């Protein structure tokens, strides 16, 4: 039995097979080999298999996405037939007596760099294709699966860290837990794990991909991964899992109960969603509404900007599923760590302090209005509110509201129904917004405090940087004071205020939030009943 330790970001237990996401490559080592011929044959065989795979993918793509989109596989086949590329790999093996994997990596890096430096845009774009081909060859050489859809039921995903675009593609029904080499409390993996009620540990350091496919127990309580668990460990797991299931059963008795303290103080208990599948969890856990609908996924799962109609259909579906309960849709919060290829966002030195969220929307009004129109149209089918992220000034709120008003006027003249009284809120997730929350409260109907970003911006500590785990402390007194200030300012102007960052789930702070007068808590769906239980036990 092998024991690997990390930091737990969600307390739960799972047993399953380890699935290493292919993008998370172990650094391939340079190994001296004695049989050059054998190594060259390995490369030739990998090339043959890769071509067959690509032909199959091309045929499938022709039917599902058409000739234009399938072309990419033809290009890859052509590149695989290129003798310069393969000549460079095999001569490197022959001249330096090194392993095929290392020769593939090294040669592809050289070729990708050459393409990347070309003046012609089309040729420059081929750098990514070289990388893709190299990945495919490596996976074959290392005996790994290429595609995410090969994830089998009950897989524990192992990755360096998960990006939003990776998580959007994962078949979530098959996942039993997450292990990441890096990551942080508020990284996407952590948020995803909490939403899905699955154990997750981060910061394990690199784990060798040789364990791919092996049975493991993931203990999210202690932050330990046990690979090839022995019988005692398996028995212990079964026993604890049973207790965990019994506790979940007990929590389910809180379904339909109100979220109020013993003295009768009522708190709105909502849920956060990031993906359409999360809706199921929202309903299963009896959330009283959706306090944060991270609309980014619509953009992440698409190959191009989603149209107004595409967005409308999704927003309407969520609004109708909630049957009259509040659904707060946050407008696009792209940029920083959430990158999408087709947005062609500029490379930035400090992306978290850069061009993101409302800053992008206010400089690309067409993009912004497409989303606002879709939200407004869906507001005719349920209880939808709209919320703007990353606000730092009054003028941003006014400009955003004026776009909303323009959309209302357009829809009205087109005879399309919407809710003209739609509630408008903002996220308080920058220190600037918290400090001027008295002024901002005059502009909106509600605030939702995003403690994930509020923490990173107040403490000057990147929430994505695993080295800064100890610095990104959401319980820091400065954060509590900013929350307190925001609540006071909102209430003075008669506006309600909630918390939708991960801190909303914090058991130790729950009483303090209630005493401060926080009106709403929006948490991962899996946390709803635990928070309800906590609040019902408060005096
Ligand atoms: C936050 O910043 O606290 C928040 C809820 O938004 P996100 O995690 O999506 O940035
Ligand atoms: Mg945020």
């Amino acid at each position: 039995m092998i024991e690997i330790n990390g930091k737990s970001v969600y307390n739960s237990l799972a047993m399953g097979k380890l699935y290493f996401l292919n993008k998370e490559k172990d650094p391939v080592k340079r190994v001296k080999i004695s049989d050059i011929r054998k190594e060259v044959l390995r490369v030739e065989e990998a090339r043959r298999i890769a071509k067959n795979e690509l032909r199959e993918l091309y045929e499938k793509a022709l039917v599902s996405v058409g000739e234009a989109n399938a072309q990419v596989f033809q290009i890859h086949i052509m590149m695989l037939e290129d003798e310069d590329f393969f000549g460079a790999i095999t001569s490197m093996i022959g001249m330096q007596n090194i392993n095929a994997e290392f020769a593939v990596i090294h040669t592809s890096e050289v070729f990708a760099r050459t393409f990347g430096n070309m003046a012609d845009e089309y040729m420059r774009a081929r750098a990514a294709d070289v990388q893709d081909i190299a990945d495919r060859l490596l996976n074959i050489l290392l005996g790994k699966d290429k595609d995410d859809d090969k994830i089998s039921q009950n897989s524990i995903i192992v990755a360096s860290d998960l990006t939003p675009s990776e998580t959007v593609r994962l078949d979530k029904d098959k996942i039993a837990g997450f292990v990441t080499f890096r990551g942080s409390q508020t990284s996407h993996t952590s948020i995803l794990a909490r939403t899905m009620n699955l154990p997750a540990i981060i910061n394990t350091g690199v784990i060798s991909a040789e364990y791919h496919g092996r049975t493991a127990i993931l203990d999210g309580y202690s932050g330990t991964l046990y690979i090839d668990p022995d019988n005692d460990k398996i028995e212990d797991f079964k026993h604890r899992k049973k207790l965990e299931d019994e506790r979940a059963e007990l929590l389910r008795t809180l379904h339909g109960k109100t979220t109020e303290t013993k003295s009768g103080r009522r708190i709105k208990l909502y849920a956060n969603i990031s993906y359409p599948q999360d809706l199921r969890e929202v309903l299963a856990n009896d959330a009283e509404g959706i306090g944060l609908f991270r609309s980014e996924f619509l953009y992440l799962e698409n190959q191009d900007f989603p149209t107004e109609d595409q967005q409308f259909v999704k927003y309407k579906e969520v609004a109708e599923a909630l049957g009259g309960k509040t659904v707060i849709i946050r407008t696009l919060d792209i940029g920083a760590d959430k990158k999408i290829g087709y947005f062609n966002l500029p490379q930035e030195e400090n992306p978290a302090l850069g061009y993101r969220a409302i800053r992008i929307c206010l400089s690309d009004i067409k993009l912004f209005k497409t989303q606002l129109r879709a939200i407004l149209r869906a507001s005719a089918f349920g209880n939808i509110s709209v919320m703007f992220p990353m606000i730092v000034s009054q003028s941003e709120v006014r400009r955003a509201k004026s776009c909303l008003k323009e959309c209302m006027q357009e829809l009205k003249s087109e005879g399309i129904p919407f809710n003209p009284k739609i509630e408008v809120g903002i996220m308080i997730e920058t220190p600037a917004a918290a400090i001027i929350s008295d002024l901002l409260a005059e502009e909106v109907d509600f605030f939702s405090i995003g403690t994930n970003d509020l923490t990173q911006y107040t403490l000057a500590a990147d929430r994505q940087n695993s080295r800064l785990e100890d610095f990104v402390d959401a319980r820091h007194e400065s954060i509590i004071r900013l929350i307190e200030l925001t609540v006071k300012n909102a209430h003075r102007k008669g506006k309600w205020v909630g918390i939708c960052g991960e801190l909303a789930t914090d058991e130790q702070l729950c009483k303090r939030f209630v005493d401060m007068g926080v009106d709403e808590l929006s948490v991962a769906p899996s946390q709803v009943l635990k928070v309800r239980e906590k609040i019902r036990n408060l005096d």
Side-chain angles (χ1 to χ4, degrees), residues 8-15 156 176-179 193 196-201 218-221 241 244:
S8 167
V9 287
Y10 192 60
N11 290 346
S12 185
L13 288 167
M15 184 162 154
I156 296 173
F178 298 95
V179 177
M196 295 171 70
N197 200 17
L198 296 177
I201 64 173
L218 179 56
D219 185 343
Y221 294 89
K241 187 75 193 151
E244 200 180 57

Side-chain angles (χ1 to χ4, degrees), residues 152-155 170-176 196 277 280:
S152 55
Q153 203 63 42
N154 234 21
S155 287
L170 284 173
D171 185 349
K172 300 183 187 62
D173 288 338
K174 293 183 175 169
I175 301 173
M196 295 171 70
Q277 300 93 313
R280 206 172 48 195

